[in-house]
Amino acid sequence: MIQYQEILNDIYNEIQPFINEGKVANYIPALAKVDPDQFAMSLTLFDGRSFHVGCSDNKFSIQSISKVFTFTRALDIYSTELYNKVGKEPSGDPFNSLIQLEHEYGIPRNPFINAGAIVVTDALLTKYKNIDNTFDNILGFIRDISDDQTIDFDKEVWFSEYKHGFRNAALANLMKSFNNIDNNVDDVLKTYFKHCSITMSTKELSRATLFLANHGVDPINQKQYITPQQAKRINAVMLTCGHYDASGEFAFHVGLPGKSGVGGGIIAVVPKVMSLAVFSPRLNSWGNSLVGTKALELFTTKSGFSIF
Ligand code: GLU
């Protein structure tokens, strides 16, 4: 019998010497205000039992973790047609890079870099017609998979990102010039920033991502959100592209499909067993939670769970 709580408690103690390392994202001014030294880690098993350590009820900005949820929705709607607009290869570039996009005719490498997620948001906007309907659909989906109808977004973070989102605006406009954005650029960006500013705790995130660990079916209430093939693909893209140009590092050290966000959160999936979420706002040089990555590495080492 694995002693999950003991493992989490040990991780909590072992990450303490690193808790002041790294820097909080400050290119979104509202994000720079968070208490930088927070740490939380949660895991949820298929039978509904969950284990937590640290401030696991504290909500934080999920940022790019939302890209997993928007990709899931878009795959469900468009199936493989989606890959005409966005690829599925690692980029090897930072999350907000413009360079590759120019060379590759406005088709982003994958749905987990900013350009790719903006294209996915554009596809959802085409389906749901306007910002409010599109965002309601994304938020509704996240509330369903979390089994929690109270999840919401942070208006201050949203507006702060909208006001300072110059690089994302550059990416969206560049893609529009290549005809890879169908809707009004400002509408696409507003919707994109809105889903990035959804707030959740590690407790909620580890519950919400269970369907990815179980072939697209929530193991607790048996709801099917996507097909097994699609779940397989989302996990594959998380493994190869979930941490930008540090995706190889993450696979090497942690060995699980995962996705980070600049808010300091990371989700990770142990196929057929559990989902995990960690939160610690200080980031490493690639824009991924420094302590969060260490904590997940410690978890796979201590528990022996890894896909390799
Ligand atoms: N909303 C952030 C941005 O577009 C997401 C980046 C991230 O979490 O990595 O810059």
Side-chain angles (χ1 to χ4, degrees):
M1 183 85 165
I2 299 175
Q3 299 301 321
Y4 291 110
Q5 194 59 53
E6 245 169 64
I7 293 179
L8 292 185
N9 294 346
D10 287 349
I11 293 171
Y12 183 85
N13 292 329
E14 288 177 42
I15 54 89
Q16 291 308 320
F18 305 99
I19 203 83
N20 301 120
E21 285 185 21
K23 283 203 181 100
V24 170
N26 58 7
Y27 72 99
I28 304 169
L31 276 190
K33 290 190 194 165
V34 300
D35 169 2
D37 300 331
Q38 300 176 80
F39 175 76
M41 187 163 192
S42 297
L43 67 87
T44 305
L45 301 171
F46 279 21
D47 62 8
R49 278 182 301 148
S50 62
F51 300 86
H52 314 276
V53 74
C55 56
S56 58
D57 284 313
N58 282 15
K59 303 236 185 202
F60 57 90
S61 194
I62 67 170
Q63 291 294 318
S64 282
I65 295 172
S66 65
K67 293 171 182 171
V68 175
F69 305 135
T70 49
F71 180 42
T72 303
R73 287 301 303 127
L75 258 192
D76 186 38
I77 294 162
Y78 294 100
S79 187
T80 51
E81 236 181 75
L82 187 67
Y83 300 123
N84 297 331
K85 292 171 75 71
V86 60
K88 42 189 157 31
E89 284 292 336
S91 69
D93 269 340
F95 66 99
N96 56 5
S97 173
L98 282 145
I99 296 166
Q100 213 163 42
L101 208 50
E102 168 75 3
H103 289 304
E104 298 182 358
Y105 309 101
I107 310 282
R109 278 285 175 100
N110 67 69
F112 294 160
I113 49 174
N114 286 11
I118 290 169
V119 163
V120 167
T121 303
D122 177 56
L124 293 176
L125 200 54
T126 299
K127 165 85 180 167
Y128 294 107
K129 310 286 183 228
N130 61 48
I131 300 173
D132 287 347
N133 271 346
T134 308
F135 182 67
D136 283 353
N137 183 274
I138 297 166
L139 184 63
F141 174 66
I142 294 175
R143 286 175 170 172
D144 285 350
I145 57 176
S146 310
D147 201 15
D148 182 343
Q149 297 302 310
T150 66
I151 288 168
D152 220 325
F153 76 109
D154 181 328
K155 284 197 185 63
E156 190 192 344
V157 171
W158 175 49
F159 190 63
S160 179
E161 201 171 350
Y162 178 60
K163 248 177 94 184
H164 295 89
F166 306 112
R167 286 194 77 89
N168 287 318
L171 291 168
N173 279 297
L174 185 58
M175 292 190 288
K176 182 89 178 169
S177 78
F178 283 110
N179 295 320
N180 199 26
I181 292 285
D182 296 324
N183 296 280
N184 172 286
V185 166
D186 195 53
D187 287 358
V188 177
L189 288 171
K190 278 186 176 141
T191 314
Y192 167 76
F193 294 139
K194 220 166 167 178
H195 70 66
C196 286
S197 61
I198 288 172
T199 60
M200 292 172 79
S201 63
T202 56
K203 208 174 253 182
E204 291 162 345
L205 276 169
S206 74
R207 166 72 184 90
T209 46
L210 271 183
F211 75 100
L212 290 172
N214 190 40
H215 308 291
V217 178
D218 184 322
I220 298 176
N221 59 24
Q222 305 306 320
K223 279 191 198 160
Q224 171 128 32
Y225 292 108
I226 35 162
T227 66
Q229 288 87 341
Q230 288 168 336
K232 180 173 94 178
R233 307 257 137 79
I234 296 164
N235 280 304
V237 183
M238 286 207 290
L239 182 75
T240 54
C241 312
H243 287 75
Y244 314 117
D245 42 344
S247 297
E249 279 280 316
F250 189 83
F252 185 84
H253 288 288
V254 177
L256 294 174
K259 179 75 200 89
S260 69
V262 291
I266 306 178
I267 54 165
V269 168
V270 182
K272 304 185 185 67
V273 183
M274 72 176 85
S275 289
L276 295 139
V278 275
F279 166 56
S280 183
R282 292 183 192 267
L283 309 178
N284 59 25
S285 55
W286 295 289
N288 303 313
S289 172
L290 189 147
V291 164
T293 308
K294 272 194 198 308
L296 286 167
E297 180 178 358
L298 284 168
F299 180 80
T300 51
T301 305
K302 287 174 187 297
S303 67
F305 285 123
S306 149
I307 61 165
F308 300 111

